[in-house]
Amino acid sequence: MALVRVPTKPDAAEIGDVRWTEPDVSVYVGDQTEAPATGTLYVAEGLLLWWSAEEQRGLTVEYPCITLHAVSTDALAFPVPCLYCQLQPVGDDEAPTQEDEDTAEPSVDEIRFAPKDPAARKQEKLKREEIGGSLSHTHSLSLS
């Protein structure tokens, strides 16, 4: 499955080498335009992880499932600047298991991560570009 909801934060061995950590990141799943929670985004060699310590839940995406990623600043496309990820849709030939149905979001084709740092709004563009660069690097590692 492309996007997996996780009830417990994966340990360091599951995450892999973390290349970038960004606190106070809102996550928008699918067509959602209101962020349900704020958490920390981890750009790691093994996967992309968003974890909300406050809500004790998170999301993981493995890099082969990300078909496109970009820094988005177009307010007409989405109301807040974000790191946009288009996900590989789950094929009809994949029969979900009971565990998949409990933890996966099968209809999601895109996810957005919007960093929030009100004290440094002028630095947002730079942060998004740094996160995007880290994602590009770790994504390319998964393809080798």
Side-chain angles (χ1 to χ4, degrees):
M1 292 292 176
L3 177 68
V4 178
R5 296 185 186 276
V6 291
T8 58
K9 184 178 178 183
D11 62 26
E14 292 175 291
I15 297 171
D17 187 24
V18 175
R19 297 293 180 129
W20 186 269
T21 302
E22 185 67 32
D24 298 324
V25 174
S26 296
V27 63
Y28 300 86
V29 179
D31 294 334
Q32 179 182 11
T33 56
E34 291 186 25
T38 299
T40 301
L41 178 65
Y42 300 89
V43 179
E45 285 188 6
L47 52 80
L48 193 59
L49 165 69
W50 175 86
W51 178 256
S52 173
E54 180 181 319
E55 300 208 5
Q56 289 296 299
R57 64 186 176 96
L59 304 169
T60 62
V61 181
E62 293 181 353
Y63 290 117
C65 297
I66 300 174
T67 58
L68 172 79
H69 58 86
V71 174
S72 174
T73 58
D74 182 359
L76 296 176
F78 199 71
V80 295
C82 61
L83 176 63
Y84 170 83
C85 295
Q86 187 175 55
L87 306 177
Q88 178 181 9
V90 177
D92 293 334
D93 57 336
E94 293 182 26
T97 65
Q98 181 62 40
E99 181 180 340
D100 290 339
E101 290 176 1
D102 292 341
T103 61
E105 185 73 36
S107 62
V108 173
D109 291 328
E110 56 191 16
I111 189 167
R112 294 171 175 89
F113 301 97
K116 290 185 178 182
D117 189 5
R121 286 281 185 210
K122 293 180 181 177
Q123 303 242 351
E124 280 189 6
K125 182 179 178 192
L126 177 61
K127 279 189 172 192
R128 287 189 306 274
E129 289 172 358
E130 288 174 353
I131 295 169
S134 294
L135 180 58
S136 292
H137 175 74
T138 53
H139 190 245
S140 68
L141 289 175
S142 73
L143 300 175
S144 3

